[in-house]
Amino acid sequence: MAKEETEKVKEDRQNLAEQEINGDPRLLPNITLGYNLYENYFDARMTSDVMLDLLSGGESNIPNYTCGKGNNNLLAVLEGANSVISKQISTMSSIYKIPQTSHGFNAQAMDDKSQFPFVYRMLPKEDTQSQGIVKLLLHFGWTWVGLYASDNENGERCTDSCHPGYFKVIQEGEPVCCYACSPCAEGTISTQKDATHCTKCPEDQHPNKDQDQCIPKIINFLDYEEYWGILLASLSLFLSLVAAFVLTIFIKFLETPIVKANNRDLSYILLISLLLCFLSSFLFIGQPRKVTCLLRQTVFNITFSVAVSSVLAKTITVVLAFLATKPGNRVRRWLGKNLAHSIVISCSSVQVVICITWLGLSPPFPEFDKSSQLGEIIVQCNEGSVAMFYTALGYMGFLAAICFTVAFLARKLPGAFNEAKLITFSMLVFCSVWVSFVPTYLSTKGKFMVAVQVFSILVSSAGLLGCIFMPKCYIILLRPDLNTKEHLTTKH
């Protein structure tokens, strides 16, 4: 009877101790402390079973699996076993970094750190939560005690933790443990749980989808291996072969009336310049290098200026030839190769000077744009001087406008001079392409900006080649009966 009363006194004392600790907000703020009691009978196998039960979160003894026991966190293990059993407990509890203490001490020794160094090392006295745990330990006399912390004083569940990719936001008026988890802002990451802030990635990296790590950015340029690169490169190669084929025809049939009537030298210059225009497109495809950046705009602008100058020379020659047929007109002395060559050389020389000045003052160079597009590094050619870029483009447009105007005024010439009609239509296509190029070019970025320029080069050059030379090739190859001097001098 006396023994039963003693056990009841112990139980009452332990319950009072638990109520005292849980009722004191200074000891365990927002935490409710509970305990489980075990007896291992100093048996190694039973000790293992007890430890598995302590470390398991479900009905079955499966460590790291939580189901059915609520959100209780094991804080400490109090044992009073011999050294062999104590070592076995230590082996299992140390994996989870759970404090293991020997309970052979009394209330009077609570402040004597020298007698119980392990308790105070694992549960520092300066921590109010640890003080509450130690105070509860002093009231137990069983061999096994597992201490758990769950809930806050209002019975609410505290925030478990903020996952990587989020950061903690303290809620005003809420307990410290009840914080909110806010996702990291665009372009930032957090790599640890309960991060207090998010950090930016290096310039050459960007956050992954979960925003918990930085990954390398994609290198972006108009590549030969992608769809647009393959399409534009194939189109450039095809049109280059067509230009070479037309040039071969004009060389083979150079003595025929239709080739002679269209000024063979200017036709050769125009065809060669158009061929170079098509080939210059390859300088825009692939990763920009120092050499390609220097050459691409220079080659493009000079070859296009030669092509447009040749068309202008052909147009002026046609007009002068018509005027020379009128009696008493003195323009006949202006006709000849010298005039045509002078027009091509003088008009092209201006563009050459512009390009040399451009390269001398502010040459283009490769640039790595790491901020314009999220997750991408745009490799592009910085044109060096935007003013020089548009000056060169504007001069080419000026030549095209003059050529179109002259050809338009001469479009109603007789049949022998009807090449003016073809030139008018070709320059209309040419000017339309480059007028629409400027706003489209300015509204795009990265590889699409380069693709727009390549496409404009190919379409405008193809317009000149098709409108001026395809009708002549048709007559030479398929209608040789029309390739006579008599036919060319009549209206058709």
Side-chain angles (χ1 to χ4, degrees):
M1 190 70 174
K3 183 177 181 180
E4 291 180 0
E5 290 180 356
T6 302
E7 294 295 334
K8 188 175 185 306
V9 170
K10 287 184 178 180
E11 182 179 355
D12 291 341
R13 188 177 62 182
Q14 292 150 7
N15 290 335
L16 288 173
E18 180 186 4
Q19 294 173 10
E20 179 184 350
I21 294 171
N22 288 330
D24 191 342
R26 295 172 300 174
L27 292 178
L28 300 176
N30 300 321
I31 292 178
T32 300
L33 193 67
Y35 61 89
N36 288 343
L37 305 179
Y38 298 90
E39 176 62 70
N40 69 344
Y41 300 100
F42 297 97
D43 180 75
R45 182 172 181 177
M46 186 169 290
T47 300
S48 297
D49 290 340
V50 170
M51 284 301 298
L52 285 175
D53 186 70
L54 278 172
L55 298 173
S56 301
E59 297 298 332
S60 301
N61 287 348
I62 304 175
N64 300 327
Y65 175 73
T66 301
C67 181
K69 284 192 174 180
N71 191 25
N72 295 336
N73 301 314
L74 182 62
L75 295 182
V77 174
L78 170 67
E79 50 86 10
N82 57 39
S83 59
V84 176
I85 299 298
S86 180
K87 185 175 181 181
Q88 182 182 2
I89 296 172
S90 176
T91 301
M92 298 184 71
S93 63
S94 63
I95 298 175
Y96 295 87
K97 298 182 180 180
I98 296 173
Q100 172 192 355
T101 65
S102 176
H103 75 287
F105 52 84
N106 51 46
Q108 287 74 21
M110 181 176 177
D111 293 326
D112 188 353
K113 299 181 183 180
S114 62
Q115 294 187 37
F116 307 100
F118 190 77
V119 174
Y120 282 92
R121 179 167 55 85
M122 301 301 292
L123 302 173
K125 191 172 184 294
E126 289 75 12
D127 188 343
T128 56
Q129 178 175 326
S130 300
Q131 292 179 40
I133 294 172
V134 173
K135 189 170 183 178
L136 181 60
L137 290 177
L138 299 177
H139 291 271
F140 288 110
W142 278 269
T143 305
W144 279 82
V145 180
L147 299 178
Y148 296 90
S150 64
D151 303 336
N152 62 16
E153 61 184 359
N154 298 320
E156 302 170 350
R157 295 290 180 201
C158 294
T159 304
D160 289 336
S161 63
C162 291
H163 296 293
Y166 294 79
F167 67 98
K168 293 167 55 175
V169 179
I170 303 301
Q171 301 294 301
E172 186 176 355
E174 296 289 336
V176 177
C177 68
C178 295
Y179 49 84
C181 297
S182 179
C184 291
E186 185 175 335
T188 62
I189 64 163
S190 64
T191 59
Q192 298 178 342
K193 288 185 176 182
D194 290 332
T196 57
H197 64 281
C198 299
T199 57
K200 286 187 176 182
C201 289
E203 283 192 343
D204 58 346
Q205 298 180 5
H206 72 107
N208 63 347
K209 183 179 179 181
D210 296 328
Q211 291 184 271
D212 57 4
Q213 64 177 346
C214 294
I215 57 177
K217 290 183 177 180
I218 299 173
I219 304 297
N220 187 331
F221 58 90
L222 187 60
D223 193 7
Y224 282 103
E225 297 180 357
E226 64 175 298
Y227 173 79
W228 283 108
I230 294 173
L231 178 63
L232 293 174
S234 301
L235 186 58
S236 301
L237 181 60
F238 171 75
L239 292 175
S240 300
L241 294 175
V242 172
F245 176 71
V246 174
L247 179 60
T248 302
I249 292 175
F250 266 64
I251 293 175
K252 184 177 181 179
F253 295 92
L254 61 90
E255 297 298 334
T256 59
I258 194 169
V259 174
K260 289 182 177 180
N262 285 277
N263 197 319
R264 286 179 298 190
D265 291 343
L266 285 179
S267 296
Y268 296 152
I269 293 173
L270 178 55
L271 285 170
I272 292 173
S273 62
L274 288 176
L275 175 60
L276 293 175
C277 287
F278 291 132
L279 293 176
S280 70
S281 300
F282 290 101
L283 293 173
F284 292 82
I285 306 174
Q287 183 169 347
R289 308 287 183 183
K290 185 176 181 179
V291 175
T292 55
C293 287
L294 288 173
L295 290 179
R296 61 166 56 172
Q297 296 296 347
T298 303
V299 173
F300 155 67
N301 281 288
I302 292 177
T303 54
F304 253 76
S305 295
V306 172
V308 177
S309 299
S310 302
V311 176
L312 178 60
K314 287 175 72 71
T315 308
I316 294 175
T317 301
V318 169
V319 174
L320 293 179
F322 171 73
L323 295 176
T325 60
K326 295 182 178 180
N329 199 301
R330 299 180 180 180
V331 299
R332 182 182 296 271
R333 61 184 176 179
W334 293 98
L335 291 174
K337 294 182 179 179
N338 292 336
L339 175 63
H341 293 168
S342 299
I343 294 174
V344 174
I345 293 173
S346 59
C347 293
S348 301
S349 297
V350 175
Q351 188 69 288
V352 172
V353 172
I354 293 174
C355 290
I356 292 176
T357 305
W358 184 0
L359 294 178
L361 295 178
S362 182
F365 58 91
E367 179 183 57
F368 295 85
D369 184 358
K370 300 178 181 179
S371 57
S372 294
Q373 297 290 335
L374 185 64
E376 295 181 354
I377 298 177
I378 300 175
V379 186
Q380 60 189 5
C381 284
N382 187 311
E383 304 305 347
S385 172
V386 177
M388 295 303 298
F389 172 78
Y390 285 106
T391 298
L393 198 65
Y395 177 72
M396 187 175 65
F398 171 72
L399 290 179
I402 293 177
C403 186
F404 173 75
T405 303
V406 175
F408 180 79
L409 295 175
R411 71 189 186 283
K412 294 183 179 180
L413 292 178
F417 311 98
N418 70 345
E419 191 179 22
K421 295 180 181 179
L422 300 178
I423 294 175
T424 302
F425 188 71
S426 66
M427 294 312 300
L428 179 62
V429 173
F430 185 91
C431 294
S432 299
V433 169
W434 287 103
V435 166
S436 61
F437 161 78
V438 175
T440 307
Y441 181 82
L442 294 175
S443 63
T444 54
K445 291 183 178 180
K447 63 183 178 183
F448 297 106
M449 178 181 285
V450 180
V452 166
Q453 186 168 4
V454 173
F455 184 77
S456 300
I457 291 172
L458 297 178
V459 173
S460 57
S461 300
L464 293 178
L465 180 65
C467 295
I468 295 177
F469 292 100
M470 288 300 108
K472 298 177 178 59
C473 290
Y474 170 78
I475 293 175
I476 293 172
L477 297 177
L478 302 178
R479 295 295 305 273
D481 57 303
L482 301 179
N483 192 6
T484 61
K485 186 175 182 179
E486 293 76 15
H487 179 78
L488 292 175
T489 56
T490 59
K491 187 175 182 180
H492 44 258

